[in-house]
Amino acid sequence: DTGVSQDPRHKITKRGQNVTFRCDPISEHNRLYWYRQTLGQGPEFLTYFQNEAQLEKSRLLSDRFSAERPKGSFSTLEIQRTEQGDSAMYLCASSLAPQGSPEQFFGPGTRLTVL
Amino acid sequence: SQQGEEDPQALSIQEGENATMNCSYKTSINNLQWYRQNSGRGLVHLILIRSNEREKHSGRLRVTLDTSKKSSSLLITASRAADTASYFCATDLYNDMRFGAGTRLTVKP
C-alpha cells in the first residue's frame, strides 16, 4: 500500500500524559499536513511542512503541540500534557504541491481519546 | 477557523436521484476542492476546480464555481447507496486548506 499511513490508529490516554503520533506520507510528496477533526466538523488545519521545513502553524495550535519532519519523510505530532479538549481525530495528508497538484491524500487518522 | 460553509448540513435522497450540495467561502482562493468522507474514515479527494474555471466534470460529479459570489456547488447525478458519506469543500489561497463543516448525504436504497 503506497498511501498515507498513520500510527497508531487509536490512542487512549489520561489527562496530563504526553502522546505522539506518526505519519508516513506518500514517498514522492514534498508537502505534509496535519489536521484535527472533531465530531460533526470538517478538518481543521494545524500545520504543514515543505520537506523538513515547517512553514505554517495555525494560531489554534497551542504551545503543547509540536510537530517535526526531521528528514523530510515521516512526521510526528506530539501533544504534551493532554487535556480532554484534545480528544479528536488527527489527520495527516500529503501532496505534490507546490510543483504538482494541490490535491491532498489523507491517511486514515489517529483517534485520540483523553480520559 | 473554517473558511467554507456547506449547505445543506444534511441531505437525504432516494437512490437514482440527484444530490446538490453548496459551498460558500469568504476570501479569495486559488482553487476549491471537494472531498468525501465515509463514516469514521479518512477523506478522499473528489475533484479540484481552479479559480479561473467555472465548471468541471468527473464521472457522475459536476462542480461549478462562481468566484463573484464566492460559492461552489457539487452535483452528484444518479446517486447510489454507496454515495452515502459526508462531503466537504476546501479552499486554499496560499498553502493551507480550509474545510467547511460538511454536508451529510444519505442515499436510501
Side-chain angles (χ1 to χ4, degrees):
Chain A
D1 185 353
T2 57
V4 178
S5 62
Q6 292 186 246
D7 183 68
R9 295 289 304 277
H10 303 273
K11 179 70 177 178
I12 300 174
T13 191
K14 293 182 179 179
R15 185 162 50 97
Q17 297 294 305
N18 298 345
V19 294
T20 300
F21 310 140
R22 175 180 171 125
C23 170
D24 286 88
I26 294 172
S27 58
E28 62 266 29
H29 286 187
N30 295 323
R31 286 253 172 107
L32 186 148
Y33 307 79
W34 284 99
Y35 296 86
R36 177 173 62 193
Q37 185 178 26
T38 54
L39 196 61
Q41 298 298 312
E44 186 174 45
F45 171 79
L46 294 178
T47 188
Y48 88 94
F49 292 83
Q50 176 73 32
N51 299 314
E52 65 275 11
Q54 187 174 18
L55 296 187
E56 186 170 346
K57 290 174 60 173
S58 167
R59 285 170 290 178
L60 301 171
L61 209 63
S62 78
D63 292 344
R64 297 184 297 105
F65 287 71
S66 63
E68 294 183 342
R69 195 183 182 196
K71 297 181 180 178
S73 56
F74 73 92
S75 175
T76 57
L77 177 68
E78 181 184 18
I79 309 174
Q80 296 181 326
R81 304 181 302 282
T82 52
E83 303 172 355
Q84 288 184 327
D86 297 331
S87 294
M89 176 78 85
Y90 289 84
L91 295 166
C92 175
S94 66
S95 79
L96 286 167
Q99 295 89 340
S101 170
E103 171 188 349
Q104 295 190 13
F105 294 79
F106 281 81
T110 294
R111 183 170 295 283
L112 173 65
T113 301
V114 181
L115 302 176
Chain B
S1 62
Q2 296 186 316
Q3 150 92 305
E5 292 186 9
E6 289 89 346
D7 172 64
Q9 291 185 342
L11 181 61
S12 182
I13 59 174
Q14 294 293 136
E15 207 165 26
E17 295 181 338
N18 295 343
T20 299
M21 289 159 268
N22 302 298
C23 168
S24 59
Y25 57 92
K26 298 173 184 174
T27 66
S28 299
I29 60 172
N30 285 328
N31 63 71
L32 185 144
Q33 302 180 50
W34 285 90
Y35 286 80
R36 182 186 74 223
Q37 185 176 37
N38 292 91
S39 180
R41 302 180 70 175
L43 283 80
V44 174
H45 182 265
L46 295 177
I47 196 165
L48 178 151
I49 186 165
R50 298 189 184 277
S51 59
N52 60 354
E53 297 175 312
R54 292 297 167 257
E55 185 171 316
K56 207 162 181 180
H57 296 254
S58 176
R60 295 184 295 113
L61 306 180
R62 172 178 168 254
V63 169
T64 62
L65 179 64
D66 187 335
T67 52
S68 66
K69 295 181 179 178
K70 292 186 169 58
S71 67
S72 172
S73 67
L74 170 67
L75 168 68
I76 303 174
T77 60
S79 63
R80 305 165 182 168
D83 294 328
T84 293
S86 291
Y87 292 82
F88 297 93
C89 68
T91 58
D92 72 19
L93 176 59
Y94 297 110
N95 297 303
D96 56 6
M97 282 213 302
R98 297 286 187 257
F99 286 81
T103 292
R104 174 69 190 169
L105 174 66
T106 302
V107 181
K108 301 174 185 176

